[in-house]
Amino acid sequence: MPHTSDMVSDMAIRVRRAAAGDADRIDALVRSLSPGSILRRFMGGVSREVAVAELSREVRAGGTDFALIAENSRGELIGEAYVAMLTPHDAEAAFVVRDREQHHGVGTALLTAIVAELRARGVRTLHADTTPENVAMLALLHEGGLASHERYLNGMIHVSVQIGESST
């Protein structure tokens, strides 16, 4: 189900489930990313070719895992989020947003759509790993007042966000 957010910058963001045909559009998104954005998304240095291959694989995912894409009002692909189901009650997410649209609500729109879908599935906890330097991702995961827990491990921060009812 598409979700549209109107931003102060007059940029409309449309978030929807990725389709197989979107894999062909991933190359343009990855070409627009700075080396720093690629580093933050993959938590390490990967080539653009590897980044294209991985994001293309994600938008073609089947089964319980899924990818969402964000488009601007011109239909350009400006962000992607991938969700991997870990258990029926736990999922892990990763995000990437085109550099010039970062800090303009694209990550928030993707996260809102992810949480809505996961809650409908009965998922209780959303997990994400990031680096301590990725303050934008850490802020995104803490927005909305949801209970969260951070754990520092091997130079990374693992964030668990409570998005659904706990069984305790």
Side-chain angles (χ1 to χ4, degrees):
M1 174 181 294
H3 172 77
T4 303
S5 296
D6 292 319
M7 306 313 301
V8 237
S9 65
D10 291 331
M11 179 178 69
I13 302 166
R14 178 176 181 254
V15 174
R16 65 172 173 81
R17 188 67 91 95
D22 293 318
D24 297 334
R25 301 169 60 208
I26 289 293
D27 185 61
L29 174 64
V30 173
R31 273 188 284 111
S32 75
L33 298 175
S34 67
S37 287
I38 292 173
L39 181 73
R40 285 186 296 277
R41 168 56 172 84
F42 294 99
M43 294 189 300
V46 299
S47 69
R48 288 191 188 278
E49 292 76 22
V50 169
V52 167
E54 177 60 15
L55 294 182
S56 294
R57 182 197 65 76
E58 290 176 1
V59 300
R60 288 187 178 105
T64 59
D65 298 346
F66 64 95
L68 298 177
I69 61 164
E71 299 171 313
N72 62 20
S73 58
R74 294 179 301 283
E76 297 170 325
L77 188 62
I78 59 173
E80 184 262 1
Y82 181 68
V83 177
M85 297 302 300
L86 304 174
T87 73
H89 299 291
D90 292 270
E92 181 178 32
F95 299 76
V96 69
V97 174
R98 189 164 71 176
D99 286 60
R100 67 179 177 252
E101 276 83 22
Q102 291 176 8
H103 311 289
H104 292 285
V106 178
T108 299
L110 286 164
L111 180 61
T112 299
I114 287 170
V115 169
E117 175 146 351
L118 292 176
R119 282 180 172 160
R121 293 182 181 200
V123 173
R124 297 181 190 129
T125 308
L126 177 64
H127 302 273
D129 294 313
T130 191
T131 62
E133 298 81 23
N134 194 348
V135 293
M137 181 64 167
L138 291 168
L140 174 66
L141 293 169
H142 292 296
E143 73 181 36
L146 297 171
S148 63
H149 173 75
E150 285 186 12
R151 184 178 57 178
Y152 187 79
L153 182 64
N154 297 325
M156 304 305 243
I157 297 179
H158 179 86
V159 182
S160 300
V161 181
Q162 188 72 34
I163 62 168
E165 296 288 323
S166 174
S167 62
T168 59

